[in-house]
Structures are given as C-alpha cells and as structure tokens.
Amino acid sequence: MGRQLIAGNWKMNGLFGPGSAQAKELAARASAGTPLAAELLVCPPAQLLLPFAEIFQDSGIALGGQDCHTAARGAHTGDISAEMLADAGCTYVIVGHSERRADHGESDAEVKAKAEAARGADLIPIVCVGETEDQRRSGKALSVIEGQIRGSLPENPEDSRLVIAYEPVWAIGTGLTAKPSDVQEVHGHIRDLLSGLFGLEAGAAVRILYGGSVKPANAAELLAVPNVDGALVGGASLLAEDFWAIAAT
Ligand code: 13P
C-alpha cells in the first residue's frame, strides 16, 4: 500500500480572498521542512480551482473537483465535466458524495458513469459510500455499503486508479465519528469485496479513506485502523492549521 491520502472536501465553502489565504498557508507549510508522509489533496469549490492550481504549484498538494458530469461537454447548464476539471489542474474528483446522492438524487448507476467519465479524463475518482443512521440501527450497514460498491464502481478491474471513501452519513458534520471497531469492520468488508471484484493485487492497491467528523483530535486513532488508507475531511479542512495537523498525524 502506498502513502495515505488526506483529502479536504471544502463543499460549498470558500470565497476567493479568505480561501486563497488558507490555500497559501497550506502551500507554505507543504513547501517548508521535511515532506509529509501522507499525500495531500484539496477539493475546493469550482471557482477556486484555477487560483488554487497556481498556489499549489510546486507544493506537492494535489487538486480535485467535488463532482463531475457523466458527459465531456454539452447542454448541461450548471454542471462541470471531468475534462474541464483536468483542464483546471485537477488530478482527482469526488463522485457520489452522500450530499449529492441526497440533494441531487444521484443513483449508483449515475455515480458509476461519473467515475468512468473521470477515468476517461485521466482523473482518479474518489467514490463515496456510506450508510444512514437508520440503516446502521437496523443492522443493514454492510449490505447497503456492499450494494453501493457493486453499483458505483467503474468497470475495468485491472485499472487501480481508484479511491473509495467510506463516510457514514450520520457522522458527516455532526461531530460523531464511527467507532474504530466499526470502521475496521466496514473497511475490511470493502477490502474483501475489492479483492473479489478485482483480484487480490488490484484490490489491495485501492485506497479506502474514512470520512465523517475527522478532526486533529481523532485523526491518529482513525488513521491507525487496518485498511484505512487516509481520510476525507470536510469541516476541519477549511482551516489550514487543522488540515495540516490531520495530515501530519
Ligand atoms: P465533515 O468532516 O465535516 O464531517 O465532512 C465529512 C465529509 O463529508 C467529507 O466529504
């Protein structure tokens, strides 16, 4: 397994002035001293992609989109394509975040098409899965996640340009985190599924991130769980100091 990936999802937060100041602080930290063991990725809102691409130049920090359309171009008002994200300097894109599944009714099939569009534009898709509170309470967490994995992953098992993010919906933005034992169970289950789908070697090469109220105070415990290959961080990625503290864990 390669380096852990610490990814910041800014969601619909960040204006040019204060956002750029945070990005510059992050780039300054990344460019000074010894390089981090982890790989850093920031996924800002679309209007900040181009300025951040410039700020992150030579810092080693990667840039990602938060969503992409299934098509490369065309009459899709308000959408952005994977090709456009790549053109702006992105190397990753988040697809199938639970907020998009909920707010925009995205199905597994649509998420899969987005992941394939991402790969078609040479981006690495970060495919998000996760159960709701009701689903966990009724003992369905693993089967829900399995269904999402089977339905949302791109074809081409031999292609290891893929990241999965397990984000329990009830842990997002709530301050609640899944217990390390639950994270271990889910990530282990996802790893087994990947091995079954892609074969042992390709299955082991896919990074599985945990997301949901990851903070500097709980990052060490979560990142030490077997099969946790990084974190997808929301709120705590908005402040360079906190995001850096998580990445340096
Ligand atoms: P929070 O870290 O704010 O809980 O958000 C997690 C998330 O949804 C990242 O994609």
Side-chain angles (χ1 to χ4, degrees):
M1 179 54 59
R3 301 159 79 196
Q4 286 199 325
L5 174 64
I6 307 297
N9 174 11
W10 282 29
K11 310 191 179 182
M12 200 170 73
N13 297 292
L15 298 178
F16 177 72
S20 299
Q22 293 299 321
K24 281 178 187 162
E25 187 180 333
L26 201 60
R29 286 173 188 253
S31 305
T34 41
L36 284 180
E39 180 182 351
L40 268 188
L41 165 68
V42 174
C43 303
Q47 98 285 9
L48 295 181
L49 287 172
L50 280 172
F52 280 22
E54 202 174 321
I55 293 168
F56 291 156
Q57 223 173 20
D58 304 322
S59 72
I61 302 171
L63 193 64
Q66 298 179 6
D67 176 53
C68 67
H69 198 274
T70 56
R73 68 194 63 80
H76 304 288
T77 304
D79 278 310
I80 193 160
S81 74
E83 190 181 43
M84 291 166 181
L85 295 173
D87 191 44
C90 293
T91 48
Y92 288 88
V93 60
I94 299 167
V95 294
H97 192 282
S98 60
E99 286 152 14
R100 291 208 60 90
R101 290 178 186 263
D103 294 355
H104 300 273
E106 289 187 8
S107 64
D108 287 339
E110 193 174 358
V111 175
K112 173 178 177 158
K114 289 181 175 208
E116 288 176 348
R119 276 179 165 181
D122 266 337
L123 298 179
I124 299 175
I126 301 176
V127 179
C128 301
V129 299
E131 82 285 1
T132 63
E133 189 176 11
D134 278 354
Q135 289 164 337
R136 175 152 288 270
R137 238 193 269 114
S138 54
K140 294 194 192 116
L142 289 182
S143 61
V144 165
I145 292 159
E146 178 163 345
Q148 290 172 333
I149 293 273
R150 290 188 186 281
S152 312
L153 292 196
E155 300 289 347
N156 292 336
E158 69 282 1
D159 188 342
S160 64
R161 290 176 305 150
L162 173 67
V163 177
I164 292 174
Y166 166 54
E167 299 203 308
V169 176
W170 49 270
I172 295 177
T174 57
L176 301 171
T177 42
K179 289 196 296 269
S181 55
D182 289 336
V183 175
Q184 182 167 351
E185 182 185 39
V186 172
H187 281 233
H189 190 67
I190 294 174
R191 183 72 68 205
D192 290 347
L193 276 171
L194 292 172
S195 303
L197 288 169
F198 298 171
L200 268 183
E201 201 178 326
V206 176
R207 286 186 286 192
I208 309 172
L209 313 183
Y210 170 79
S213 298
V214 176
K215 311 278 179 222
N218 60 24
E221 183 180 41
L222 290 161
L223 289 170
V225 173
N227 286 309
V228 171
D229 307 308
L232 184 52
V233 185
S237 71
L238 295 171
L239 268 184
E241 190 182 349
D242 286 352
F243 191 51
W244 185 260
I246 292 169
T249 295

